[in-house]
Amino acid sequence: MNHSCIVWGATGQSKVIYDILQAENVRVVHLFDNNNQTKSFSVEIPLAFGVQGLEIYIKHLALKSIFPKEVDCIAAIGGTHGRARQDITETMKSFGFQPRSVQHKSAIVSSFSKTGNSTQILAGSIIGFGAQIGDYSIINSGANIDHDCIIGDRCHVAPQAALAGEVLLENDVFVGTNATILPRIKIGQNSVVGAGSVVTKDVPSNSVVVGNPAKILRKIES
């Protein structure tokens, strides 16, 4: 891994990632964002916008004889934006930057678990024996992923959510803060589990479920 990193995203998730990188002695050298109204959270870190800003930064690196392959990259985009997280990571990779996963030092990750590419494992989270975490997924602060769970690509398990053993999250699932999913439940792709919900039965794809026990609130247009 390199000791410098660019981060796409300059709001909440990027602040969390910044803390983790600092603890790893990795320097965030530049921020990028799609929203040109966003401000950098640090006066020491420059912020540019969109692919055009990235291209200008690459020219800046060239003047210093630095190649993009010498700099890591992370898409710090939370919420339900897993697809954007992947697309932006792939864009930075196409320019030569090296995608990086992060894991907070306080996270407990079983040596018998497996995490994919460009994952973000945040503070106090637990990933149990045999669990699998897909590419571009976020396991947020204090989330508990019990034994043999399978988390698909581009998922986001929000703070303090708990997945009991053998839960399956298909791709692009968002599990809200403090939600609980009981053992051996399957959450279909592109579904959302509302904050505080208790899921007691399988959830079909493209569904928003809320409550205790969780019930379908609405369908998501695919």
Side-chain angles (χ1 to χ4, degrees):
M1 288 292 187
N2 300 313
H3 294 286
S4 60
C5 186
I6 62 172
V7 176
W8 198 296
T11 54
Q13 187 73 9
S14 64
K15 297 173 184 177
V16 176
I17 297 303
Y18 175 75
D19 272 347
I20 296 174
L21 293 175
Q22 272 207 316
E24 296 177 352
N25 294 316
V26 175
R27 187 165 65 99
V28 176
V29 293
H30 215 293
L31 298 171
F32 298 88
D33 204 282
N34 286 329
N35 181 357
N36 61 15
Q37 300 302 309
T38 303
K39 306 294 184 183
S40 176
F41 56 79
S42 170
V43 295
E44 299 177 353
I45 307 174
L47 170 63
F49 303 103
V51 173
Q52 183 178 11
L54 187 64
E55 291 172 338
I56 292 171
Y57 175 64
I58 291 170
K59 293 177 181 178
H60 171 75
L61 290 179
L63 293 174
K64 296 184 174 182
S65 299
I66 299 173
F67 297 99
K69 67 180 181 180
E70 300 173 45
V71 181
D72 289 339
C73 65
I74 296 174
I77 302 169
T80 58
H81 304 296
R83 183 67 62 177
R85 200 158 52 244
Q86 175 176 344
D87 290 347
I88 289 171
T89 300
E90 292 300 317
T91 295
M92 292 188 287
K93 183 178 178 181
S94 73
F95 283 100
F97 296 99
Q98 302 299 302
R100 182 187 187 102
S101 293
V102 292
Q103 179 180 314
H104 195 278
K105 62 183 179 180
S106 67
I108 300 173
V109 180
S110 170
S111 59
F112 295 96
S113 65
K114 181 180 179 181
T115 57
N117 299 316
S118 300
T119 54
Q120 300 173 27
I121 314 298
L122 303 189
S125 56
I126 300 173
I127 299 176
F129 188 107
Q132 300 178 42
I133 311 300
D135 298 341
Y136 311 103
S137 288
I138 297 173
I139 309 302
N140 218 312
S141 305
N144 189 341
I145 311 300
D146 210 342
H147 68 88
D148 300 305
C149 287
I150 298 177
I151 310 297
D153 296 338
R154 301 175 300 275
C155 292
H156 185 168
V157 181
Q160 305 301 324
L163 278 58
E166 301 178 37
V167 165
L168 168 62
L169 303 187
E170 294 189 334
N171 296 337
D172 303 293
V173 168
F174 178 83
V175 179
T177 301
N178 281 320
T180 300
I181 303 177
L182 298 189
R184 294 176 291 282
I185 295 295
K186 172 184 173 182
I187 310 296
Q189 65 181 359
N190 198 41
S191 288
V192 174
V193 176
S197 297
V198 178
V199 182
T200 61
K201 60 182 181 181
D202 291 353
V203 174
S205 298
N206 302 303
S207 301
V208 177
V209 297
V210 297
N212 179 10
K215 297 181 180 180
I216 296 175
L217 175 66
R218 62 180 176 87
K219 298 294 288 185
I220 298 172
E221 296 295 331
S222 57

